[in-house]
Amino acid sequence: DAVLHFGTHGSLEFMPGKQVGMSDGCYPDSLIGSIPNLYYYAANNPSEATIAKRRSYANTMSYLTPPAENAGLYKGLKELSELVGSYQGLKSSNRGIQIVNTIIDKAIQCNLDRDVNLPEVDAKDITEEERDTVVGSVYKKLIEIESRLLPCGLHVIGCPP
């Protein structure tokens, strides 16, 4: 028999009792007894792995966190990013207002109106500074979406990545 833990934040090591020098009166000591405690712990969390070792006599084996990559932009969000880029070069021309209206429409189509305060009036009815603020807010949200990290696979214990 053995106890096999996967992940982090097991309840055993956080039960009431002393932090060091466990005794019969400490829950972790009473619960685990002499059963081998094998713990697969994420390599990016060594402090909690140490607690598991100290308080529940765990033999820890580290595993890598899943590889991640930037989410990037796709479909409508990519088009929206291109519109924001074109606005920067054309904002002072007659096309600036038209581009801002297109940016607002596309942002609504991409559901960014839930996260970005978009005007409900035509871009010609707001100042250039307000248009810059709208475009800047959309740009900031696009950067936030684009730079999110998404897992792109899993590690298999015992197999090198």
Side-chain angles (χ1 to χ4, degrees), residues 7 18-19 27 57 66 69 77-79 82-83 89-90 104 113 117 124 129 135 141 147 149 155-156:
K18 296 186 281 183
Q19 292 297 313
Y27 282 83
Y57 313 113
E69 60 186 21
L77 296 174
K78 186 130 181 96
E79 293 172 23
E82 291 167 3
L83 283 168
L90 300 170
I104 293 169
D113 55 327
N117 188 17
K124 72 177 185 303
E129 185 177 317
V135 174
K141 189 63 181 176
S147 61
L149 292 177
H155 291 292
V156 177

Side-chain angles (χ1 to χ4, degrees), residues 32-126:
I32 199 66
S34 61
I35 300 171
N37 186 11
L38 305 174
Y39 217 135
Y40 286 105
Y41 232 97
N44 66 341
N45 199 352
S47 60
E48 287 189 20
T50 302
I51 294 170
K53 289 174 107 171
R54 187 179 68 226
R55 297 203 74 226
S56 64
Y57 313 113
N59 181 4
T60 58
M61 292 151 279
S62 296
Y63 63 88
L64 295 172
T65 55
E69 60 186 21
N70 285 340
L73 298 177
Y74 53 90
K75 296 184 183 178
L77 296 174
K78 186 130 181 96
E79 293 172 23
L80 189 54
S81 178
E82 291 167 3
L83 283 168
V84 168
S86 66
Y87 173 74
Q88 295 306 320
L90 300 170
K91 68 180 181 179
S92 298
S93 71
N94 293 338
R95 295 217 39 227
I97 293 172
Q98 180 185 4
I99 292 171
V100 171
N101 282 328
T102 307
I103 287 172
I104 293 169
D105 292 342
K106 185 58 97 172
I108 291 169
Q109 190 179 29
C110 293
N111 296 317
L112 292 186
D113 55 327
R114 298 174 186 170
D115 300 312
V116 177
N117 188 17
L118 298 171
E120 297 180 13
V121 296
D122 193 281
K124 72 177 185 303
D125 297 331
I126 59 177

Side-chain angles (χ1 to χ4, degrees), residues 2-25:
V3 175
L4 186 59
H5 282 104
F6 289 91
T8 56
H9 303 302
S11 58
L12 178 63
E13 65 266 23
F14 293 106
M15 297 297 269
K18 296 186 281 183
Q19 292 297 313
V20 292
M22 297 278 114
S23 66
D24 290 341

